[in-house]
Amino acid sequence: MNFEMTVGLETHFELSTKSKIFCSCPNCFGGEANTKCCPVCLGLPGSLPVLNREVVEYAVKAGLALNCRVEEYSYMARKNYIYPDLPKAYQITQGDRPICHSGQLNLSDGSVIRINRLHIEEDAGKLIHKDGATFADYNRCGVPLVEIVTEPDFNSAEQVREYLEKLRLIMKTLGVSDCRMQEGSMRCDVNLSVKKREDKKPGEKIEIKNVNSFSFIAKAINYEYKRQCSLLERGERITAQTRRFNEATGETESMRDKEEGEDYRYFPEPDIPAVYISHEEIVKIKKTLPELPDAKYERYIEEYNLTADEAVQIIKYPAAVDYFERLIKLSGNAKLSAKLLVSNIFACVREELKRENGNFPNAEYIAEVVMLIERGKLKGGAVKTATQKITAENKPFKELFNITDFAGMSDEETAALADKAIAENQTAVRDYLAGKDRAIFAVVGKVMKESKGRADAEKVLEYVKKAINEVLRGK
Ligand code: ZN
Ligand code: MN
């Protein structure tokens, strides 16, 4: 049977504004429970919320970056529900008049993900379950959020993953959120449905809540797709449900059946006036937006002549982008800088990169290597040896090496090493003579290794070929 999956996403980002959304409490992660809240956070009677202007500006930045339409007037609303992490028994959010809507984000396969809306709202507190009891920590109450809702435009887990990676990169580039999934400052809910391709009616909607890593989201989607396909194949019905992903088993499990249209009794928030941002202010914010990843990608290829892969690899990590731009300034050679960064330095620091703090060697040291390569003083294996050591020890070239360490080998030295390698690798020589051309690289590789990268690979190849052919002629 032929099945079709559609997925839509709701992604929440905690904004990194200085203070919370409706009061002047500090907006920071963690801290001793209930030490970062006030009567407004706690929703005590008589307290009045005042909207933080910075939250509006951050939301507009994010909306513009996602090609949204930004409304000069939007409205806050109350979403009513009872849960112990929400002391007011309602969340202040936006209802039918969000600040941004109708945006889009493009994926590399050419598909366009439509952004239905981007709105601002407050976060709820946290429940801590321990020693058989449940405690409430209200520090997170009133932390500002943007929620970004897509249309059901995804057809695969890969598309979802790329969207989330791009979205996170945009938010980081804008500096509006630190996007840490482990700390909950980026959270994602997945809405998914599967139907037989020939069915006109869309499938029942399953929601998967708060999966906290990109690879778990992909796993949850793939698992859910397979589960629903096999139900449909057996002719069973799928019921609308909220499910959670079990990280240990890699499966999703039912949390609760969805009630028909949960009724949150949305109504306009009476304590907060309309959110207004003038056209002039929106234009001003637009002018201050940093270069976004897609534009950077185009520029790196056009202006610096990078390959698509080099551009993608660098742009993926904001720390690498800053580093790369510094390398260009110091060395004056973008292409070589990119090549060195992607093919050598990334291999040494990738883990730190993932931990987002960069941890690259001093850019001046690497710029110096770029200039040595440019002047033909460093080649082939020597480049790798030098960069690895400079990266590992974060010391300049001249403290670790003499340039003569990498001086090309004399012809005599090359010949001696090559003769030795030929003598010791007779199988490869016989294979080569039998017509397996590539066998010769086993011999060349041995010479390069023995010379610790000093030998010139082309010269070695030339010499080895000549030597072997002479043997052949001699016989
Ligand atoms: Zn407060
Ligand atoms: Mn929300």
Side-chain angles (χ1 to χ4, degrees):
M1 241 181 267
N2 221 338
F3 298 104
E4 207 171 63
M5 171 170 65
T6 36
V7 179
L9 296 180
E10 291 168 22
T11 313
H12 288 85
F13 289 93
E14 286 181 354
L15 300 178
S16 42
T17 52
K18 285 185 276 310
S19 53
K20 290 187 179 179
I21 185 167
F22 300 125
C23 64
S24 54
C25 288
N27 173 25
C28 51
F29 177 75
E32 198 188 325
N34 300 308
T35 56
K36 285 166 183 143
C37 30
C38 69
V40 175
C41 299
L42 298 173
L44 296 186
S47 63
L48 280 174
V50 177
L51 181 61
N52 178 351
R53 196 66 196 167
E54 213 182 3
V55 172
V56 177
E57 283 162 19
Y58 279 28
V60 170
K61 271 189 194 176
L64 289 171
L66 294 170
N67 304 296
C68 286
R69 192 192 145 94
V70 180
E71 292 296 337
E72 289 180 48
Y73 283 98
S74 65
Y75 297 88
M76 304 309 293
R78 285 191 186 179
K79 178 182 180 181
N80 297 277
Y81 67 93
I82 289 190
Y83 203 66
D85 64 4
L86 189 73
K88 294 201 295 286
Y90 59 84
Q91 180 195 28
I92 304 181
T93 174
Q94 295 194 298
D96 52 7
R97 302 290 298 273
I99 186 161
C100 305
H101 58 91
S102 313
Q104 68 173 68
L105 193 150
N106 302 330
L107 300 184
S108 59
D109 64 4
S111 54
V112 173
I113 305 303
R114 291 167 299 158
I115 310 285
N116 173 292
R117 59 188 280 150
L118 177 153
H119 67 253
I120 51 182
E121 62 186 24
E122 61 180 336
D123 210 343
K126 251 184 214 166
L127 296 183
I128 298 150
H129 308 279
K130 107 181 157 191
D131 307 330
T134 297
F135 300 87
D137 174 7
Y138 293 137
N139 281 350
R140 203 175 66 180
C141 282
V143 164
L145 296 173
V146 287
E147 177 175 341
I148 299 167
V149 182
T150 74
E151 299 290 349
D153 286 345
F154 301 95
N155 303 114
S156 70
E158 292 69 45
Q159 285 183 332
V160 168
R161 197 185 171 120
E162 188 189 350
Y163 166 86
L164 288 172
E165 263 163 15
K166 284 192 100 165
L167 186 61
R168 178 171 65 177
L169 193 55
I170 290 170
M171 301 299 272
K172 277 186 89 101
T173 306
L174 294 171
V176 298
S177 172
D178 55 24
C179 312
R180 297 203 180 111
M181 289 195 98
Q182 308 79 357
E183 292 181 3
S185 59
M186 175 178 182
R187 308 196 287 266
C188 186
D189 299 332
V190 179
N191 289 310
L192 181 151
S193 69
V194 178
K195 68 173 186 66
K196 290 182 198 152
R197 205 171 285 275
E198 64 270 20
D199 279 354
K200 292 271 183 311
K201 215 171 120 241
E204 284 293 344
K205 204 159 97 176
I206 300 286
E207 185 176 8
I208 311 169
K209 280 256 176 225
N210 277 329
V211 194
N212 71 359
S213 87
F214 289 176
S215 62
F216 286 151
I217 289 172
K219 275 187 195 153
I221 291 173
N222 286 328
Y223 175 82
E224 198 47 36
Y225 175 65
K226 283 197 199 110
R227 185 184 74 88
Q228 294 191 32
C229 286
S230 62
L231 283 176
L232 291 172
E233 231 153 34
R234 277 180 275 144
E236 287 179 43
R237 258 194 72 220
I238 291 163
T239 46
Q241 264 183 349
T242 302
R243 297 177 73 86
R244 78 163 74 83
F245 181 67
N246 183 330
E247 293 171 13
T249 59
E251 297 175 357
T252 65
E253 46 202 42
S254 177
M255 280 167 79
R256 56 173 187 261
D257 281 352
K258 255 194 170 6
E259 293 122 52
E260 278 301 307
E262 285 161 285
D263 187 8
Y264 292 116
R265 296 187 297 118
Y266 276 93
F267 64 81
E269 167 58 50
D271 288 338
I272 301 175
V275 182
Y276 173 67
I277 181 156
S278 70
H279 178 68
E280 289 71 30
E281 281 173 284
I282 298 170
V283 171
K284 212 168 114 195
I285 292 175
K286 194 166 191 172
K287 281 189 186 138
T288 65
L289 290 186
E291 184 179 41
L292 293 168
D294 279 354
K296 205 182 284 294
Y297 173 84
E298 301 288 330
R299 182 168 67 84
Y300 278 5
I301 289 174
E302 267 170 40
E303 189 179 330
Y304 297 148
N305 198 23
L306 303 199
T307 63
D309 181 61
E310 285 167 344
V312 168
Q313 293 298 325
I314 294 171
I315 291 168
K316 232 197 222 169
Y317 305 104
V321 167
D322 292 344
Y323 188 73
F324 175 57
E325 307 259 345
R326 285 211 335 274
L327 276 183
I328 298 175
K329 280 205 189 89
L330 291 165
S331 73
N333 191 325
K335 179 72 188 163
L336 272 181
S337 295
K339 215 171 151 198
L340 198 60
L341 189 57
V342 172
S343 51
N344 286 296
I345 300 172
F346 275 2
C348 309
V349 294
R350 189 161 287 275
E351 280 318 303
E352 281 82 356
L353 270 176
K354 280 187 182 147
R355 270 180 260 136
E356 301 172 11
N357 60 2
N359 205 7
F360 293 106
N362 188 319
E364 283 172 31
Y365 306 162
I366 297 301
E368 207 184 334
V369 176
V370 172
M371 290 183 281
L372 288 170
I373 300 170
E374 200 176 27
R375 295 205 303 267
K377 302 246 161 135
L378 277 185
K379 288 186 196 161
V383 173
K384 195 171 161 195
T385 311
T387 359
Q388 268 177 2
K389 204 157 163 134
I390 291 169
T391 306
E393 303 195 15
N394 198 21
K395 285 184 182 149
F397 185 86
K398 64 174 183 298
E399 270 183 43
L400 298 169
F401 308 100
N402 285 313
I403 191 70
T404 48
D405 294 345
F406 299 115
M409 287 196 344
S410 68
D411 289 351
E412 292 75 37
E413 223 181 322
T414 308
L417 280 181
D419 288 339
K420 186 164 161 268
I422 291 169
E424 287 170 0
N425 292 279
Q426 283 297 309
T427 321
V429 172
R430 269 195 302 277
D431 285 350
Y432 175 68
L433 289 174
K436 289 183 193 159
D437 286 351
R438 298 200 57 80
I440 200 167
F441 291 104
V443 181
V444 174
K446 284 279 183 329
V447 179
M448 296 309 293
K449 198 171 164 207
E450 209 45 30
S451 79
K452 300 198 172 61
R454 282 171 57 223
D456 180 324
E458 267 170 49
K459 267 193 192 162
V460 175
L461 178 63
E462 197 183 316
Y463 180 88
V464 172
K465 261 190 194 162
K466 212 175 96 202
I468 295 178
N469 284 328
E470 265 163 21
V471 172
L472 187 64
R473 244 179 280 136
K475 273 184 185 165

